[in-house]
Amino acid sequence: MKWLFVVLTAIGLLGCSSTPTSSTADKPSMTVASLFNHALFTPQPVVSEQAIFSLPQSEVQALWQYVEKHKNSDITIDELLGNFLQNKIGDFSYDGATFIAKDALSQRSGNCISLAIVSQAYANVLGVKTSYAKVDSYPVYQKNKSFVLTSSHFKTKLITPREQEDNSMMFFSSGTIIDYFPNQDSVFSGNATYADLVAKFYTNLAVSALLAADYDKAYSLLMAALEYAPNDPETINISALLHKHLGDRVRAKQIYAYAAQQQLTSTNLLLNYLNYIPADQTALRESILAQLERSPASPFDTLTLASSYIDKQNYRKAKKLIEPLLLNYHYLPEIHAELGKIAYLEGNLQAALVYFDQAINKSRETYKKTLYSAKQNMLTQLMVQ
């Protein structure tokens, strides 16, 4: 699949409704890494931060040649770099892998984090400042063993240079937005930093190592990720899962409890934590359930929470969560698809058919249209029997 790539020049884009992001400045006195059962693991070498963003000398020269060629054009350096990136990586293919910059360039492929790393690598050469936005899309659940992989990506903003730059206002400055998935059904879920990007690189590799049962490598990569984003809920969640898969459920529960106490939570983390709480610990279960009600940071988080109620056949609760999303996120096909699923499970096939028809009409991606059309055809067949 070819990359969908767009370069936009904008002022103040994505500058509101942000959620707090982690940074090394936010480190609490106690971190989740202190709860690891380190005796279970043998540390492994991991790629350095410098190596992640290192470019071949030929690429550095190509960038400076491009800048020299266009130095008299009436565009800013961020626009110039945006154009260069469009020419350089606009036709990369997506294969889901997380690469360092030079490997992404040599293989002309990688996932969104790989492309953000490539963008940052070239920005480093020119001294162009960057910021990031996290963009979530609905998890196309990829079930691998007992894991469920979710989906999110970063947009890169190349900041237009100013004589004086207030870092706290950087994302409100003019600049060039690099979006690798402009046509994806997605929503902005918060600002992100360079440290978040580095952490996401290590976390992605940690997940791959965990799926491959390379627990020492997963441990080492998670330790690296937590150096950059010690408060990231998804990294903490994966840390607990790592201990669970090594049989240390006690330490996994402690990690989840720490996250809940420090309010470093996500919908995924809290749903997993709930599995560790016995039914007779009603006060703690109710506390976690209350946090779950407050946890969704995006409509996709809400859908994930609603899905947990669907699995428990609590369709009324699921609909109560999903239906308000139609007010502001009616354009997302997944909302209609989930309501169609509930209608089908409740035996209301006609309503389900209508919901899936809406899901098809609102989908911008071919694979979604195909998926929902298959479900619609199944419903049609059931209705004529």
Side-chain angles (χ1 to χ4, degrees), residues 56-365:
Q57 190 58 35
S58 60
E59 290 297 330
V60 175
Q61 292 174 352
L63 176 59
W64 282 118
Q65 289 171 0
Y66 185 87
V67 171
E68 180 67 20
K69 179 180 179 181
H70 298 277
K71 66 180 181 180
N72 295 322
S73 59
D74 189 24
I75 60 174
T76 59
I77 190 66
D78 57 286
E79 292 176 287
L80 194 64
L81 179 54
N83 293 338
F84 176 85
L85 287 169
Q86 186 173 32
N87 293 331
K88 175 64 65 172
I89 61 180
D91 63 346
F92 274 34
S93 61
Y94 175 78
D95 68 359
T98 301
F99 294 126
I100 62 175
K102 68 176 184 179
D103 289 345
L105 288 168
S106 65
Q107 298 192 40
R108 303 195 64 77
S109 66
N111 60 17
C112 61
I113 297 302
S114 303
L115 273 293
I117 285 168
V118 170
S119 301
Q120 181 68 54
Y122 284 114
N124 289 347
V125 173
L126 297 182
V128 174
K129 292 185 177 181
T130 58
S131 61
Y132 295 91
K134 183 183 177 185
V135 183
D136 290 342
S137 56
Y138 192 59
V140 178
Y141 286 129
Q142 303 174 50
K143 294 192 176 180
N144 187 315
K145 299 180 182 177
S146 55
F147 296 98
V148 175
L149 308 182
T150 59
S151 179
S152 66
H153 71 278
F154 279 14
K155 289 183 180 180
T156 302
K157 180 169 183 178
L158 307 171
I159 308 298
T160 303
R162 296 170 57 184
E163 290 184 6
Q164 291 183 334
E165 187 70 75
D166 180 354
N167 287 334
S168 66
M169 294 297 292
M170 186 176 292
F171 214 75
F172 291 93
S173 303
S174 62
T176 301
I177 303 295
I178 311 295
D179 185 4
Y180 312 106
F181 287 114
N183 294 322
Q184 191 177 47
D185 298 309
S186 58
V187 294
F188 168 70
S189 64
N191 293 336
T193 65
Y194 169 83
D196 294 319
L197 174 62
V198 179
K200 182 65 73 175
F201 170 85
Y202 286 124
T203 300
N204 278 7
L205 293 184
V207 170
S208 296
L210 184 55
L211 292 173
D214 189 346
Y215 301 129
D216 289 336
K217 177 63 76 173
Y219 160 81
S220 302
L221 289 161
L222 285 171
M223 290 294 290
L226 290 167
E227 282 295 313
Y228 291 89
N231 299 342
D232 180 62
E234 296 308 329
T235 305
I236 295 173
N237 183 42
I238 295 164
S239 300
L241 289 172
L242 173 62
H243 284 80
K244 172 191 172 184
H245 280 264
L246 278 168
D248 193 344
R249 290 180 60 86
V250 171
R251 198 60 62 101
K253 183 177 179 180
Q254 290 175 354
I255 291 172
Y256 283 129
Y258 163 83
Q261 291 163 4
Q262 298 294 324
Q263 298 184 343
L264 307 176
T265 58
S266 66
T267 300
N268 286 333
L269 186 148
L270 290 170
L271 285 170
N272 282 330
Y273 183 27
L274 201 59
N275 294 328
Y276 287 80
I277 310 304
D280 59 353
Q281 294 187 12
T282 54
L284 181 55
R285 289 186 66 85
E286 288 176 1
S287 173
I288 296 171
L289 287 168
Q291 287 189 62
L292 270 169
E293 294 290 334
R294 300 190 299 268
S295 70
S298 77
F300 304 114
D301 285 331
T302 301
L303 290 173
T304 298
L305 180 56
S307 181
S308 71
Y309 285 110
I310 293 173
D311 291 341
K312 297 172 184 175
Q313 299 183 349
N314 190 342
Y315 307 134
R316 182 190 63 81
K317 182 68 172 179
K319 284 191 290 187
K320 186 177 179 181
L321 286 168
I322 297 173
E323 286 173 344
L325 296 177
L326 291 170
L327 181 62
N328 295 316
Y329 302 103
H330 55 86
Y331 57 89
L332 292 174
E334 291 83 2
I335 293 174
H336 303 277
E338 286 299 296
L339 288 171
K341 179 180 178 180
I342 294 172
Y344 164 73
L345 292 170
E346 290 181 326
N348 191 342
L349 301 186
Q350 183 60 50
L353 199 65
V354 172
Y355 280 126
F356 278 110
D357 186 60
Q358 292 172 335
I360 294 167
N361 291 334
K362 294 179 183 295
S363 295
R364 293 186 290 179
E365 295 165 281

